[in-house]
Amino acid sequence: MAETLSQEVEHEASTGRVETDILDQLMKPEVQRSLSELVENLPKLAEMVTLLTKAYDFAQSVATDRILIEDLKGGIGEFVKPIQEKVKGVAAAAIEANERVQTESATIGLFGLLKMLKDPQVQKTLRFIQAFLDVSAERQKQR
């Protein structure tokens, strides 16, 4: 099959048919307009190709620079580590609180609630909840 195709191409090339096809294409007005437009825009196209080549070269050099990659890994690690430690601390506190809840079966009554309201952490949490609800209400009014 490929042999037949190559023989046809050779035959067309030897008879000048390929050249005639190209010349026929070049004689079409739309092809001439397109070629004319391409020639007019060649300086812009050359500039774009130059910029793309520079961008490709830069990306290639960055992608293959092991030192830069290691520095980026280290920088990201330094940024993530404090967040990771904080999340681990919050998760550990939640687990410990859950364990305490499972072991305690005492009912919290009215006086227990009043005593809890004096706790600074409870006050901080209640202020946060109030602020969150205020912001949420303001945003709903804006819609």
Side-chain angles (χ1 to χ4, degrees), residues 120-134:
Q121 285 294 73
V122 173
Q123 286 295 314
K124 184 177 178 181
T125 303
L126 290 173
R127 283 192 301 271
F128 174 81
I129 291 170
Q130 184 62 53
F132 181 80
L133 292 173
D134 291 343

Side-chain angles (χ1 to χ4, degrees), residues 70-84:
E70 292 301 319
D71 287 348
L72 283 173
K73 280 183 188 178
I76 291 171
E78 288 177 17
F79 176 75
V80 170
K81 190 174 182 177
I83 296 170
Q84 187 179 19

Side-chain angles (χ1 to χ4, degrees), residues 14 25 27 32-33 52 62 68 73 102 123 126 131:
S14 66
Q25 289 291 324
M27 295 304 292
Q32 289 178 358
R33 280 192 301 272
L52 286 173
V62 167
L68 178 64
K73 280 183 188 178
Q102 299 299 325
Q123 286 295 314
L126 290 173

Side-chain angles (χ1 to χ4, degrees), residues 130-143:
Q130 184 62 53
F132 181 80
L133 292 173
D134 291 343
V135 169
S136 179
E138 289 171 7
R139 289 189 178 182
Q140 273 188 335
K141 286 180 184 177
Q142 291 175 355
R143 291 184 196 173

